[in-house]
């Protein structure tokens, strides 16, 4: 959608537009995270956060319904969690607009699209039992589609990197322009995530794990968070672009493989448990 909607961002638009005529353009303050290099429509932050929060909240509702919560408590939970989602989204959207990375309509469409994506995928059942082959082919399809679409539009004279030029031109500090905020870099990270999830769920470390006790789960969460924190600190230079994309893909794949397979598998090997049920990914 970012590639086809050609959304401008306020921090460069105010300088390029003829809207103000001979009047001076408004002075928009820029921050270290203002200088996004991709198109603005719809907002990726608003879309990502609304999608993730929607999934978490509706999952809590399903658990509450399964456990037959009393109607009053259920209603209370519903109102509370919906209000929490609205507050989070309001904060995300206001901050994106405040730092001049987005116009209001872009964050609103981002929130709506995120919820639509989450809702549609919650109805697609095959993804819960997808084979490793499916993960692999889906990743390959997304990559070929993105590269093919990019090349096709380039052949038609449309330069999808038009936004990078604007960011470089109008960002007040060159070091605030990051290559990893381009849609292609994001897509590669998402593909890495998808592939890492497939690898994790089909790894013997995950499938042969039999321990599901509470201390084991808490241990898994703690160790995973520590390792993910270390992984998050790894950054790569974008001078060699091919290497940059390969490393970004691998980092995202590792970010999913670590908590789904490596940590549970490693901990159950160190502390063999007696629980019979498998630790389920949910
Ligand atoms: O469109 P927005 O809100 O500026 O978000 C862009 C961001 O969207 C995210 O989805 C990407 O992972 C980031 O790399 C990118 O910077």
């Amino acid at each position: 959608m970012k590639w086809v909607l050609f959304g401008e961002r306020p921090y460069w638009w105010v300088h390029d537009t003829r809207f103000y005529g001979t009047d001076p353009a408004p002075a928009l303050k820029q921050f270290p995270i203002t200088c996004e290099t991709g198109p603005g429509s719809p907002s990726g932050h608003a879309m990502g956060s609304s999608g993730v929060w929607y999934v978490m909240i509706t999952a809590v509702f399903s658990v509450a319904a399964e456990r037959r919560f009393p109607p009053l408590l259920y209603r209370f939970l519903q109102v509370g969690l919906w209000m929490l989602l609205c507050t989070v989204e309001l904060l995300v959207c206001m901050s994106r607009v405040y730092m001049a990375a987005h116009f209001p309509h872009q964050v609103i469409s981002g929130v709506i699209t995120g919820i639509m994506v989450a809702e549609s995928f919650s109805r697609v059942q095959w993804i819960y039992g997808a084979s490793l082959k499916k993960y692999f082919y889906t990743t390959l399809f997304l990559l070929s589609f993105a590269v093919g679409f990019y090349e096709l539009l380039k052949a038609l004279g449309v330069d999808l990197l038009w936004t990078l030029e604007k960011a470089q031109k109008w960002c007040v500090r060159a070091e605030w322009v990051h290559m990893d905020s381009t849609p292609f870099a994001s897509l590669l990270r998402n593909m890495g995530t998808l592939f890492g999830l497939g690898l994790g769920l089909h790894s013997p470390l995950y499938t042969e794990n039999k321990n599901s006790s509470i201390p084991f789960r808490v241990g898994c969460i703690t160790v995973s968070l520590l390792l993910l924190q270390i992984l998050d600190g790894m950054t790569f230079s974008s001078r060699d672009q091919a290497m940059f994309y390969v490393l970004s893909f691998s980092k995202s794949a590792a970010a999913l493989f670590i908590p789904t397979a490596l940590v549970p598998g490693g901990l159950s090997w160190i502390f063999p448990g007696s629980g019979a049920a498998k630790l389920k990914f949910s």
Side-chain angles (χ1 to χ4, degrees), residues 132-162:
L132 185 55
K133 238 189 196 171
K134 272 207 174 124
Y135 277 98
F136 178 75
Y137 284 125
T138 308
T139 309
L140 200 66
F141 166 75
L142 283 173
L143 179 66
S144 343
F145 179 79
V147 175
F149 190 59
Y150 176 82
E151 290 299 333
L152 177 75
L153 287 186
K154 206 166 131 188
L156 294 175
V158 182
D159 176 19
L160 287 179
L161 291 179
W162 62 279

Side-chain angles (χ1 to χ4, degrees), residues 209-213 272-278:
N209 178 30
K210 302 277 185 284
N211 197 338
S212 69
S213 65
S274 54
K278 196 174 72 180

Side-chain angles (χ1 to χ4, degrees), residues 2 9 36 42-45 96 102 180-181 186 189:
K2 275 185 179 291
R9 292 193 185 258
E36 290 278 354
S43 159
H45 282 81
R96 300 301 292 165
H102 284 293
D180 62 359
S181 62
S186 312
R189 282 200 298 278

Side-chain angles (χ1 to χ4, degrees), residues 211-272:
N211 197 338
S212 69
S213 65
I214 300 279
F216 177 75
R217 289 176 185 224
V218 174
C220 285
I221 292 172
T222 314
V223 177
S224 298
L225 285 177
L226 277 174
L227 291 178
L228 289 179
Q229 194 63 33
I230 297 171
L231 190 73
D232 195 39
M234 290 181 172
T235 49
F236 315 113
S237 153
S238 56
R239 222 168 291 152
D240 179 349
Q241 289 207 5
M243 187 50 89
F244 172 77
Y245 288 135
V246 169
L247 290 175
S248 301
F249 178 91
S250 313
K251 180 177 164 181
S252 304
L256 266 284
F257 187 76
I258 288 171
T260 48
L262 193 68
V263 171
L267 285 188
S268 66
W269 182 70
I270 299 170
F271 308 105

